[in-house]
PDB file of all heavy atoms in Angstrom:
ATOM      1  N   LYS A 473      38.015  85.321  70.502  1.00  0.00           N
ATOM      2  CA  LYS A 473      37.394  85.284  71.833  1.00  0.00           C
ATOM      3  C   LYS A 473      36.746  86.617  72.150  1.00  0.00           C
ATOM      4  O   LYS A 473      37.279  87.685  71.843  1.00  0.00           O
ATOM      5  CB  LYS A 473      38.434  84.953  72.889  1.00  0.00           C
ATOM      6  CG  LYS A 473      39.009  83.557  72.759  1.00  0.00           C
ATOM      7  CD  LYS A 473      40.072  83.306  73.799  1.00  0.00           C
ATOM      8  CE  LYS A 473      40.686  81.944  73.591  1.00  0.00           C
ATOM      9  NZ  LYS A 473      41.839  81.740  74.454  1.00  0.00           N
ATOM     10  N   GLN A 474      35.603  86.544  72.799  1.00  0.00           N
ATOM     11  CA  GLN A 474      34.874  87.767  73.152  1.00  0.00           C
ATOM     12  C   GLN A 474      35.561  88.552  74.254  1.00  0.00           C
ATOM     13  O   GLN A 474      35.133  89.656  74.584  1.00  0.00           O
ATOM     14  CB  GLN A 474      33.422  87.445  73.470  1.00  0.00           C
ATOM     15  CG  GLN A 474      32.670  87.046  72.206  1.00  0.00           C
ATOM     16  CD  GLN A 474      31.186  86.835  72.440  1.00  0.00           C
ATOM     17  OE1 GLN A 474      30.614  87.312  73.419  1.00  0.00           O
ATOM     18  NE2 GLN A 474      30.555  86.140  71.520  1.00  0.00           N
ATOM     19  N   SER A 475      36.657  88.042  74.787  1.00  0.00           N
ATOM     20  CA  SER A 475      37.457  88.837  75.709  1.00  0.00           C
ATOM     21  C   SER A 475      38.251  89.918  74.949  1.00  0.00           C
ATOM     22  O   SER A 475      38.685  90.901  75.532  1.00  0.00           O
ATOM     23  CB  SER A 475      38.415  87.953  76.512  1.00  0.00           C
ATOM     24  OG  SER A 475      39.269  87.221  75.654  1.00  0.00           O
ATOM     25  N   PHE A 476      38.414  89.725  73.637  1.00  0.00           N
ATOM     26  CA  PHE A 476      39.074  90.725  72.791  1.00  0.00           C
ATOM     27  C   PHE A 476      38.062  91.705  72.203  1.00  0.00           C
ATOM     28  O   PHE A 476      38.281  92.911  72.219  1.00  0.00           O
ATOM     29  CB  PHE A 476      39.846  90.043  71.642  1.00  0.00           C
ATOM     30  CG  PHE A 476      41.090  89.331  72.071  1.00  0.00           C
ATOM     31  CD1 PHE A 476      41.088  87.958  72.216  1.00  0.00           C
ATOM     32  CD2 PHE A 476      42.250  90.031  72.335  1.00  0.00           C
ATOM     33  CE1 PHE A 476      42.242  87.291  72.604  1.00  0.00           C
ATOM     34  CE2 PHE A 476      43.400  89.389  72.731  1.00  0.00           C
ATOM     35  CZ  PHE A 476      43.397  88.000  72.867  1.00  0.00           C
ATOM     36  N   TYR A 477      36.993  91.173  71.622  1.00  0.00           N
ATOM     37  CA  TYR A 477      35.956  91.980  70.983  1.00  0.00           C
ATOM     38  C   TYR A 477      34.597  91.364  71.338  1.00  0.00           C
ATOM     39  O   TYR A 477      34.472  90.148  71.400  1.00  0.00           O
ATOM     40  CB  TYR A 477      36.120  91.997  69.450  1.00  0.00           C
ATOM     41  CG  TYR A 477      37.368  92.675  68.964  1.00  0.00           C
ATOM     42  CD1 TYR A 477      38.511  91.954  68.637  1.00  0.00           C
ATOM     43  CD2 TYR A 477      37.418  94.062  68.804  1.00  0.00           C
ATOM     44  CE1 TYR A 477      39.676  92.580  68.183  1.00  0.00           C
ATOM     45  CE2 TYR A 477      38.558  94.698  68.339  1.00  0.00           C
ATOM     46  CZ  TYR A 477      39.686  93.952  68.035  1.00  0.00           C
ATOM     47  OH  TYR A 477      40.812  94.586  67.578  1.00  0.00           O
ATOM     48  N   SER A 478      33.613  92.216  71.511  1.00  0.00           N
ATOM     49  CA  SER A 478      32.266  91.731  71.841  1.00  0.00           C
ATOM     50  C   SER A 478      31.623  91.063  70.623  1.00  0.00           C
ATOM     51  O   SER A 478      32.072  91.242  69.487  1.00  0.00           O
ATOM     52  CB  SER A 478      31.378  92.886  72.306  1.00  0.00           C
ATOM     53  OG  SER A 478      31.065  93.732  71.220  1.00  0.00           O
ATOM     54  N   LYS A 479      30.549  90.329  70.868  1.00  0.00           N
ATOM     55  CA  LYS A 479      29.801  89.690  69.774  1.00  0.00           C
ATOM     56  C   LYS A 479      29.339  90.753  68.785  1.00  0.00           C
ATOM     57  O   LYS A 479      29.406  90.548  67.573  1.00  0.00           O
ATOM     58  CB  LYS A 479      28.601  88.943  70.364  1.00  0.00           C
ATOM     59  CG  LYS A 479      27.798  88.195  69.352  1.00  0.00           C
ATOM     60  CD  LYS A 479      26.651  87.434  70.011  1.00  0.00           C
ATOM     61  CE  LYS A 479      25.839  86.705  68.958  1.00  0.00           C
ATOM     62  NZ  LYS A 479      24.711  85.966  69.544  1.00  0.00           N
ATOM     63  N   GLU A 480      28.909  91.901  69.273  1.00  0.00           N
ATOM     64  CA  GLU A 480      28.439  92.988  68.407  1.00  0.00           C
ATOM     65  C   GLU A 480      29.590  93.557  67.564  1.00  0.00           C
ATOM     66  O   GLU A 480      29.402  93.874  66.396  1.00  0.00           O
ATOM     67  CB  GLU A 480      27.787  94.092  69.244  1.00  0.00           C
ATOM     68  CG  GLU A 480      26.508  93.689  69.927  1.00  0.00           C
ATOM     69  CD  GLU A 480      26.706  92.858  71.215  1.00  0.00           C
ATOM     70  OE1 GLU A 480      27.838  92.820  71.753  1.00  0.00           O
ATOM     71  OE2 GLU A 480      25.719  92.239  71.655  1.00  0.00           O
ATOM     72  N   GLU A 481      30.758  93.689  68.178  1.00  0.00           N
ATOM     73  CA  GLU A 481      31.920  94.183  67.433  1.00  0.00           C
ATOM     74  C   GLU A 481      32.337  93.193  66.355  1.00  0.00           C
ATOM     75  O   GLU A 481      32.651  93.598  65.218  1.00  0.00           O
ATOM     76  CB  GLU A 481      33.082  94.450  68.385  1.00  0.00           C
ATOM     77  CG  GLU A 481      32.853  95.651  69.288  1.00  0.00           C
ATOM     78  CD  GLU A 481      33.896  95.774  70.384  1.00  0.00           C
ATOM     79  OE1 GLU A 481      34.381  94.744  70.902  1.00  0.00           O
ATOM     80  OE2 GLU A 481      34.233  96.924  70.728  1.00  0.00           O
ATOM     81  N   LEU A 482      32.323  91.905  66.688  1.00  0.00           N
ATOM     82  CA  LEU A 482      32.688  90.883  65.698  1.00  0.00           C
ATOM     83  C   LEU A 482      31.708  90.886  64.527  1.00  0.00           C
ATOM     84  O   LEU A 482      32.109  90.741  63.373  1.00  0.00           O
ATOM     85  CB  LEU A 482      32.764  89.510  66.347  1.00  0.00           C
ATOM     86  CG  LEU A 482      33.857  89.334  67.400  1.00  0.00           C
ATOM     87  CD1 LEU A 482      33.748  87.962  68.066  1.00  0.00           C
ATOM     88  CD2 LEU A 482      35.237  89.561  66.838  1.00  0.00           C
ATOM     89  N   GLU A 483      30.422  91.068  64.825  1.00  0.00           N
ATOM     90  CA  GLU A 483      29.419  91.091  63.761  1.00  0.00           C
ATOM     91  C   GLU A 483      29.571  92.338  62.890  1.00  0.00           C
ATOM     92  O   GLU A 483      29.386  92.275  61.672  1.00  0.00           O
ATOM     93  CB  GLU A 483      28.014  90.996  64.358  1.00  0.00           C
ATOM     94  CG  GLU A 483      26.910  90.853  63.351  1.00  0.00           C
ATOM     95  CD  GLU A 483      27.000  89.582  62.485  1.00  0.00           C
ATOM     96  OE1 GLU A 483      27.544  88.557  62.940  1.00  0.00           O
ATOM     97  OE2 GLU A 483      26.536  89.644  61.330  1.00  0.00           O
ATOM     98  N   ALA A 484      29.951  93.463  63.497  1.00  0.00           N
ATOM     99  CA  ALA A 484      30.198  94.682  62.720  1.00  0.00           C
ATOM    100  C   ALA A 484      31.409  94.487  61.805  1.00  0.00           C
ATOM    101  O   ALA A 484      31.420  94.940  60.655  1.00  0.00           O
ATOM    102  CB  ALA A 484      30.428  95.866  63.659  1.00  0.00           C
ATOM    103  N   TRP A 485      32.418  93.793  62.302  1.00  0.00           N
ATOM    104  CA  TRP A 485      33.649  93.532  61.564  1.00  0.00           C
ATOM    105  C   TRP A 485      33.403  92.555  60.422  1.00  0.00           C
ATOM    106  O   TRP A 485      33.893  92.745  59.306  1.00  0.00           O
ATOM    107  CB  TRP A 485      34.645  92.970  62.553  1.00  0.00           C
ATOM    108  CG  TRP A 485      36.050  92.705  62.119  1.00  0.00           C
ATOM    109  CD1 TRP A 485      36.582  92.782  60.872  1.00  0.00           C
ATOM    110  CD2 TRP A 485      37.105  92.304  62.990  1.00  0.00           C
ATOM    111  NE1 TRP A 485      37.914  92.440  60.907  1.00  0.00           N
ATOM    112  CE2 TRP A 485      38.263  92.140  62.197  1.00  0.00           C
ATOM    113  CE3 TRP A 485      37.195  92.060  64.350  1.00  0.00           C
ATOM    114  CZ2 TRP A 485      39.475  91.749  62.730  1.00  0.00           C
ATOM    115  CZ3 TRP A 485      38.421  91.669  64.876  1.00  0.00           C
ATOM    116  CH2 TRP A 485      39.545  91.527  64.070  1.00  0.00           C
ATOM    117  N   ALA A 486      32.615  91.511  60.694  1.00  0.00           N
ATOM    118  CA  ALA A 486      32.361  90.469  59.701  1.00  0.00           C
ATOM    119  C   ALA A 486      30.892  90.086  59.742  1.00  0.00           C
ATOM    120  O   ALA A 486      30.510  89.138  60.420  1.00  0.00           O
ATOM    121  CB  ALA A 486      33.235  89.254  59.971  1.00  0.00           C
ATOM    122  N   PRO A 487      30.032  90.849  59.046  1.00  0.00           N
ATOM    123  CA  PRO A 487      28.586  90.594  59.088  1.00  0.00           C
ATOM    124  C   PRO A 487      28.222  89.180  58.612  1.00  0.00           C
ATOM    125  O   PRO A 487      28.889  88.609  57.742  1.00  0.00           O
ATOM    126  CB  PRO A 487      28.000  91.633  58.138  1.00  0.00           C
ATOM    127  CG  PRO A 487      29.047  92.700  58.025  1.00  0.00           C
ATOM    128  CD  PRO A 487      30.358  91.998  58.190  1.00  0.00           C
ATOM    129  N   THR A 488      27.157  88.676  59.217  1.00  0.00           N
ATOM    130  CA  THR A 488      26.602  87.367  58.856  1.00  0.00           C
ATOM    131  C   THR A 488      25.328  87.580  58.054  1.00  0.00           C
ATOM    132  O   THR A 488      24.453  88.293  58.509  1.00  0.00           O
ATOM    133  CB  THR A 488      26.284  86.553  60.136  1.00  0.00           C
ATOM    134  OG1 THR A 488      27.474  86.464  60.929  1.00  0.00           O
ATOM    135  CG2 THR A 488      25.769  85.169  59.785  1.00  0.00           C
ATOM    136  N   PRO A 489      25.205  86.971  56.882  1.00  0.00           N
ATOM    137  CA  PRO A 489      26.215  86.202  56.154  1.00  0.00           C
ATOM    138  C   PRO A 489      27.179  87.148  55.444  1.00  0.00           C
ATOM    139  O   PRO A 489      26.887  88.322  55.271  1.00  0.00           O
ATOM    140  CB  PRO A 489      25.376  85.410  55.139  1.00  0.00           C
ATOM    141  CG  PRO A 489      24.231  86.326  54.828  1.00  0.00           C
ATOM    142  CD  PRO A 489      23.922  87.023  56.134  1.00  0.00           C
ATOM    143  N   PRO A 490      28.307  86.617  54.978  1.00  0.00           N
ATOM    144  CA  PRO A 490      29.225  87.464  54.201  1.00  0.00           C
ATOM    145  C   PRO A 490      28.544  87.987  52.940  1.00  0.00           C
ATOM    146  O   PRO A 490      27.707  87.298  52.363  1.00  0.00           O
ATOM    147  CB  PRO A 490      30.376  86.522  53.834  1.00  0.00           C
ATOM    148  CG  PRO A 490      30.299  85.401  54.817  1.00  0.00           C
ATOM    149  CD  PRO A 490      28.840  85.258  55.147  1.00  0.00           C
ATOM    150  N   ASP A 491      28.906  89.189  52.535  1.00  0.00           N
ATOM    151  CA  ASP A 491      28.385  89.752  51.287  1.00  0.00           C
ATOM    152  C   ASP A 491      29.322  89.320  50.151  1.00  0.00           C
ATOM    153  O   ASP A 491      30.339  89.951  49.899  1.00  0.00           O
ATOM    154  CB  ASP A 491      28.311  91.275  51.392  1.00  0.00           C
ATOM    155  CG  ASP A 491      27.673  91.913  50.176  1.00  0.00           C
ATOM    156  OD1 ASP A 491      27.760  91.338  49.069  1.00  0.00           O
ATOM    157  OD2 ASP A 491      27.075  92.993  50.337  1.00  0.00           O
ATOM    158  N   TYR A 492      28.969  88.228  49.507  1.00  0.00           N
ATOM    159  CA  TYR A 492      29.843  87.641  48.480  1.00  0.00           C
ATOM    160  C   TYR A 492      30.047  88.566  47.293  1.00  0.00           C
ATOM    161  O   TYR A 492      31.128  88.560  46.686  1.00  0.00           O
ATOM    162  CB  TYR A 492      29.309  86.286  48.039  1.00  0.00           C
ATOM    163  CG  TYR A 492      29.302  85.270  49.160  1.00  0.00           C
ATOM    164  CD1 TYR A 492      28.112  84.776  49.670  1.00  0.00           C
ATOM    165  CD2 TYR A 492      30.491  84.806  49.714  1.00  0.00           C
ATOM    166  CE1 TYR A 492      28.106  83.853  50.708  1.00  0.00           C
ATOM    167  CE2 TYR A 492      30.500  83.883  50.755  1.00  0.00           C
ATOM    168  CZ  TYR A 492      29.297  83.412  51.244  1.00  0.00           C
ATOM    169  OH  TYR A 492      29.304  82.506  52.263  1.00  0.00           O
TER     170      TYR A 492
END
Side-chain angles (χ1 to χ4, degrees):
K473 294 178 184 172
Q474 289 185 20
S475 58
F476 288 101
Y477 295 97
S478 71
K479 183 178 179 181
E480 294 79 15
E481 290 170 325
L482 295 175
E483 187 61 29
W485 185 353
T488 305
D491 185 331
Y492 296 113

